[in-house]
Amino acid sequence: MASEKLLLTFEGVCEHCSVWLNGIYLGDHRGMFGGPEFDVTGIVRSGDNTLILLLHGAPDRQRNPGEMPTFFGGGNPWLNLGWIDTATFNCTYGWHYADIPGLGIWRSVSLRKVSGAEFDSPFITTLSTDGDMLLSCDIITDNKAELTVCARISPYNFEGQAYSFVYSHEADAEKNNLTFAFTIPEPHLWNLNGVGKANLYTLELTLLSDGVPTDTFSTRFGIRTIEMRPIADPTGKTEGNTSQYNWIFVINNEPTFMKGTGWCTLDALMRFTPDRYRQFISAAKNQNVNILRAWGGGLVETDEFYDLCDESGIAVFQEWPTAWDSYVCQPENVLLETVRYGVKRLRNRPSLILWCGGNEGATPLESNDPNFDPAVLNLMGKTTLELDGTRPWHRQEPFGGSIHDYISSWGGQHPSKSMTLCAPFIGEFGVDCWPSYESVKKYVPAEELKQIDDMLQSKKTIPDGSSLAHHTPLFNKAGDVARLQQHVELFLPATSVRNCILGSQLAQVVGVRHTLERARSRFPLSTGAIMYKLNDPFPGASWSTVDWYGAEKPAAFFVGDAFAPLTAILIADKLNYYGENAQFPIFVLNDRLEDCILVRIRVINSSGKTIREMCVDITGDPQKIMEIAVLSLSPEETETAPMLIVLDADLRSGGHARNWYFFNFENSPGALFSLPRTTVECSIISDHAVTVKNIGSEPAVCVSLCAPGLNNLLRASDGCILLFPGESQTIECNFTDGISGASGWNC
């Protein structure tokens, strides 16, 4: 190859490097999301070659006066602001449980021959769900020749016929664009998780110049449409609201509520393995999530991430790597290169449905203030839309009708404060908590845990300098432990590390699930809700529902119930109704329009007795959202701590979906764990299925499988289950060898 025209391409170096080949300096490069690329024609020689790449240290500096005013209130002395001098994932620069900036060659490096005619990122897009497609091929050529494009489209994950065509064109410029409109017969659509199968096709292109093959290109794609429609006000009016984006996501011609969670960079040390991606994307799928927000604190995500989202039917809301108006300071050339490279790499992905400029900025449309000059952000949007005009572009998130809210977390308020949250779109909200005790033991020494237990027993607080306190969002330098403990004693006494963990986790459950369900019941006035978040870059306490090791917190299962394709829900404004009149509107949420015929509602008191039961027959055609009843309880009925409410939606086919709630627990902290005892029987019925049965005489509450030492690897189809006496449920899981049984709050 030494006599050929050659390009040396780095797909990703984090985040600043200098490169030499055979003693010749090729250049410097900043930004981790693609590049550098060098023409090394004549520098490469036959035989051995020496390539040297110097990694410069990760940037480290404090905030300059007037710089980044929206960054944590202007910045704090323990936060490294060096990331604003480049384009990288910034959540490991001292503010998101890790102060370990990424460094290294993290994507492939290649040396390739440049041929006389080449494809430049062919782009295929769907025009209609009837299979009408548009394929745009930019072809770079160094001479006039007859160019022939041979295209073959074949099913990737389903059975079907292949489709092909051939087209010839006389090259007349250095860069030729060929655009093909065609229809794929009997199209199999790409569907969202919970709606249908995420069908995928493979596109294979071959380019011939004067009959000689010179280049090939292959990509996967899906047939799906994305449209954004304006949201109506309560009167039904959709016109005239120019301060809001169009927030109704219309996927395959169907207005769709987006059920989301935030996606964080997978690992602070950039261990982005396919198996690790698979572990967390499967957790999102189990939670019935249909959209992930890859936010501006993290990556412009990898091909491995997008492969799994494509296959799982999970849409992606992809932000560019800016946060808190950092684009004002970040190098313009680095950001624009990131946009150009990223759009061309990702635009064939069916899962990608929205581009966004970044996370949590003031986002003016125009400004004379240099601290908020939007010129670079405007260029990023312009470049994005020039390269891909098929998807919406949002300037930043939140903006134009969406909100972020942490009143029950950073705000220090009761977790019920999130329950009445309403907005056209909720882009981020959550309650932080500790991971499981088994996970905590992996990063906190056993003797330290014992010392903290002794201190908590003596009514002392968790010590500031402990490992447990350090592994928090801001290393306990911003009152992290106090915030994590603020809700614990609503549920049980804070007398041990175990209790602190469980109390914080239950605060996350009640602070998240009610908000998600309320938003879903308001569609189309609310069009989506994205809780913060699914995963972590580093071990520690956080807002995630799945910790860094992979262990699911209780909220993972309650989010799964809130987002289930079919579920019955109740709407509550608070968590404590003890001795009061209470009214709970009951809804059926039915994404797939299944034939739901009955909803059964039961209220359980602290003695485990059903004190109220009602059944509601469902008549008429299935509706996606249907308010079916109001559960009214008297002060005598609500005078119980705790109070459980169980909703069962029965299908004509014989299946049913259960959702359950707990109230009044703060009247008697620990009451949730003082319910009458019962026993569950756990039977392994196959390599991937377990049946749990309540063989006692009392309801079994919050039952989950136990896999000691393996809980970070276990993926169960359900957990935090409620079983009445004699009831059983089969749980699908990724393995059964190592499951020791099941346990719950009272069993």
Side-chain angles (χ1 to χ4, degrees):
M1 293 172 63
S3 61
E4 305 282 354
K5 182 177 181 181
L6 299 172
L7 284 181
L8 174 66
T9 302
F10 294 81
E11 292 183 9
V13 179
C14 186
E15 62 66 52
H16 183 196
C17 66
S18 302
V19 185
W20 291 262
L21 179 60
N22 294 331
I24 297 174
Y25 171 69
L26 300 180
D28 270 37
H29 186 267
R30 297 208 79 150
M32 71 175 287
F33 298 108
E37 183 173 77
F38 301 108
D39 185 338
V40 293
T41 306
I43 301 174
V44 175
R45 58 188 177 227
S46 222
D48 290 340
N49 290 261
T50 302
L51 175 63
I52 295 176
L53 184 138
L54 170 64
L55 289 171
H56 298 280
D60 181 18
R61 71 173 179 84
Q62 301 305 309
R63 173 179 170 268
N64 295 320
E67 190 175 49
M68 287 287 291
T70 56
F71 181 67
F72 284 94
N76 293 299
W78 61 85
L79 299 175
N80 176 4
L81 206 59
W83 57 271
I84 71 169
D85 296 326
T86 183
T88 186
F89 67 109
N90 62 65
C91 61
T92 58
Y93 274 70
W95 66 270
H96 218 265
Y97 352 130
D99 194 358
I100 312 175
L103 188 70
I105 304 173
W106 72 289
R107 304 305 283 171
S108 295
V109 186
S110 63
L111 182 70
R112 68 178 184 87
K113 184 179 77 170
V114 179
S115 63
E118 290 190 326
F119 291 118
D120 180 13
S121 306
F123 181 22
I124 186 166
T125 188
T126 306
L127 298 179
S128 81
T129 53
D130 294 329
D132 298 325
M133 309 298 293
L134 198 67
L135 171 64
S136 176
C137 292
D138 283 335
I139 300 173
I140 301 171
T141 180
D142 59 6
N143 55 24
K144 289 189 175 183
E146 184 180 67
L147 301 178
T148 301
V149 175
C150 305
R152 176 181 169 83
I153 293 168
S154 56
Y156 175 78
N157 59 355
F158 64 93
E159 296 295 325
Q161 297 295 314
Y163 172 88
S164 62
F165 64 84
V166 177
Y167 181 81
S168 295
H169 165 76
E170 192 70 32
D172 57 6
E174 183 178 326
K175 191 166 188 175
N176 296 263
N177 176 265
L178 302 181
T179 303
F180 306 100
F182 56 93
T183 301
I184 297 176
E186 299 180 5
H188 288 59
L189 301 184
W190 184 89
N191 293 292
L192 287 174
N193 181 32
V195 174
K197 187 175 179 182
N199 294 298
L200 295 169
Y201 290 83
T202 299
L203 168 67
E204 298 169 293
L205 298 175
T206 301
L207 178 64
L208 291 81
S209 179
D210 288 336
V212 178
T214 58
D215 199 11
T216 60
F217 174 82
S218 178
T219 189
R220 289 193 326 195
F221 71 95
I223 301 175
R224 71 102 182 92
T225 58
I226 170 71
E227 174 193 354
M228 302 297 286
R229 293 179 187 165
I231 192 169
D233 65 21
T235 68
K237 181 181 178 182
T238 60
E239 302 298 327
N241 190 353
T242 57
S243 65
Q244 286 189 2
Y245 284 124
N246 292 345
W247 273 113
I248 298 180
F249 292 79
V250 183
I251 312 293
N252 293 336
N253 305 320
E254 188 68 29
T256 303
F257 183 86
M258 303 309 296
K259 302 180 289 189
T261 188
W263 174 264
C264 189
T265 299
L266 194 64
D267 182 72
L269 299 180
M270 300 193 293
R271 289 169 286 194
F272 302 140
T273 63
D275 284 347
R276 192 158 168 80
Y277 272 115
R278 193 171 294 111
Q279 180 182 25
F280 287 92
I281 299 297
S282 69
K285 190 171 183 178
N286 284 351
Q287 290 182 30
N288 295 306
V289 162
N290 65 15
I291 187 169
L292 293 172
R293 175 177 168 238
W295 97 138
L299 293 179
V300 180
E301 266 298 343
T302 66
D303 292 336
E304 292 84 355
F305 168 82
Y306 271 97
D307 283 344
L308 289 165
C309 290
D310 288 344
E311 293 163 11
S312 301
I314 297 178
V316 182
F317 181 147
Q318 180 67 63
E319 296 182 4
W320 297 122
T322 77
W324 309 290
D325 299 306
S326 60
Y327 62 84
V328 174
C329 304
Q330 289 173 277
E332 177 181 323
N333 64 318
V334 175
L335 285 177
L336 293 180
E337 180 187 60
T338 298
V339 170
R340 285 191 295 268
Y341 185 88
V343 173
K344 285 187 172 185
R345 180 172 63 89
L346 297 175
R347 62 188 178 181
N348 288 322
R349 298 291 190 169
S351 56
L352 176 61
I353 67 167
L354 190 148
W355 296 108
C356 181
N359 177 61
E360 292 182 348
T363 333
L365 294 169
E366 54 187 21
S367 174
N368 294 320
D369 182 348
N371 290 322
F372 292 101
D373 183 356
V376 174
L377 182 61
N378 291 340
L379 272 175
M380 292 168 65
K382 181 175 183 288
T383 304
T384 301
L385 291 171
E386 285 175 347
L387 293 172
D388 178 13
T390 70
R391 295 171 177 89
W393 155 265
H394 285 190
R395 295 177 65 75
Q396 289 194 312
E397 172 58 40
F399 191 69
S402 62
I403 64 169
H404 291 185
D405 185 275
Y406 288 98
I407 192 170
S408 297
S409 185
W410 294 108
Q413 300 295 304
H414 194 282
S416 64
K417 291 294 185 181
S418 297
M419 293 171 63
T420 57
L421 197 62
C422 292
F425 190 84
I426 302 174
E428 188 175 313
F429 80 103
V431 177
D432 47 342
C433 66
W434 275 290
S436 69
Y437 190 72
E438 188 171 294
S439 292
V440 167
K441 288 194 298 182
K442 293 176 180 178
Y443 64 83
V444 180
E447 55 273 21
E448 183 181 311
L449 288 173
K450 184 179 184 308
Q451 291 169 1
I452 295 174
D453 276 341
D454 292 342
M455 296 176 75
L456 291 169
Q457 284 281 352
S458 303
K459 306 297 183 183
K460 296 179 181 177
T461 59
I462 295 171
D464 287 347
S466 63
S467 300
L468 188 64
H470 180 74
H471 283 255
T472 54
L474 285 171
F475 318 110
N476 201 35
K477 295 179 184 291
D480 296 2
V481 167
R483 187 179 66 256
L484 286 158
Q485 286 190 275
Q486 65 189 349
H487 301 137
V488 169
E489 294 202 347
L490 297 174
F491 301 91
L492 71 177
T495 53
S496 67
V497 173
R498 286 182 183 272
N499 280 12
C500 288
I501 290 170
L502 184 53
S504 71
Q505 290 181 339
L506 293 179
Q508 183 184 50
V509 169
V510 297
V512 167
R513 67 91 58 95
H514 291 279
T515 310
L516 297 175
E517 290 175 345
R518 179 184 291 269
R520 199 175 163 197
S521 74
R522 295 182 71 245
F523 185 79
L525 298 179
S526 290
T527 67
I530 299 178
M531 69 155 293
Y532 191 71
K533 58 193 172 58
L534 180 77
N535 60 319
D536 296 325
F538 194 73
S542 85
W543 295 264
S544 70
T545 55
V546 185
D547 71 29
W548 180 84
Y549 299 101
E552 293 172 308
K553 302 174 186 177
F557 299 107
F558 285 93
V559 169
D561 290 339
F563 282 163
L566 172 72
T567 187
I569 67 163
L570 62 79
I571 300 299
D573 293 335
K574 57 183 184 176
L575 297 168
N576 190 3
Y577 291 90
Y578 190 89
E580 300 178 11
N581 286 307
Q583 290 195 325
F584 302 102
I586 308 294
F587 288 79
V588 172
L589 307 177
N590 190 355
D591 290 349
R592 292 193 290 240
L593 299 177
E594 297 177 81
D595 198 358
C596 179
I597 58 172
L598 178 76
V599 172
R600 185 179 184 187
I601 305 161
R602 283 174 275 190
V603 182
I604 303 170
N605 68 9
S606 60
S607 299
K609 305 305 179 187
T610 298
I611 60 172
R612 171 71 79 87
E613 182 170 351
M614 59 186 285
C615 293
V616 181
D617 291 319
I618 310 299
T619 60
D621 294 331
Q623 304 293 317
K624 286 193 174 183
I625 301 167
M626 183 184 298
E627 184 173 0
I628 60 166
V630 175
L631 172 64
S632 298
L633 300 177
S634 68
E636 292 75 24
E637 289 172 312
T638 61
E639 196 172 327
T640 179
M643 176 176 71
L644 308 180
I645 302 178
V646 185
L647 308 180
D648 288 298
D650 293 337
L651 297 173
R652 191 176 300 279
S653 62
H656 83 279
R658 173 167 291 169
N659 204 7
W660 64 277
Y661 301 82
F662 48 99
F663 295 96
N664 298 353
F665 44 84
E666 61 192 282
N667 279 75
S668 179
L672 290 171
F673 311 96
S674 300
L675 293 161
R677 304 289 296 177
T678 190
T679 302
V680 295
E681 181 180 74
C682 187
S683 304
I684 295 174
I685 59 175
S686 75
D687 290 343
H688 298 286
V690 177
T691 295
V692 178
K693 183 176 182 180
N694 182 357
I695 60 174
S697 58
E698 305 289 345
V701 183
C702 207
V703 179
S704 293
L705 297 177
C706 304
L710 300 171
N711 73 337
N712 64 309
L713 301 176
L714 181 65
R715 281 290 171 269
S717 61
D718 206 352
C720 297
I721 301 163
L722 189 145
L723 294 172
F724 286 99
E727 285 187 334
S728 64
Q729 181 169 332
T730 297
I731 303 169
E732 297 177 359
C733 39
N734 54 340
F735 62 82
T736 55
D737 187 13
I739 292 176
S740 63
S743 67
W745 290 348
N746 66 329
C747 58

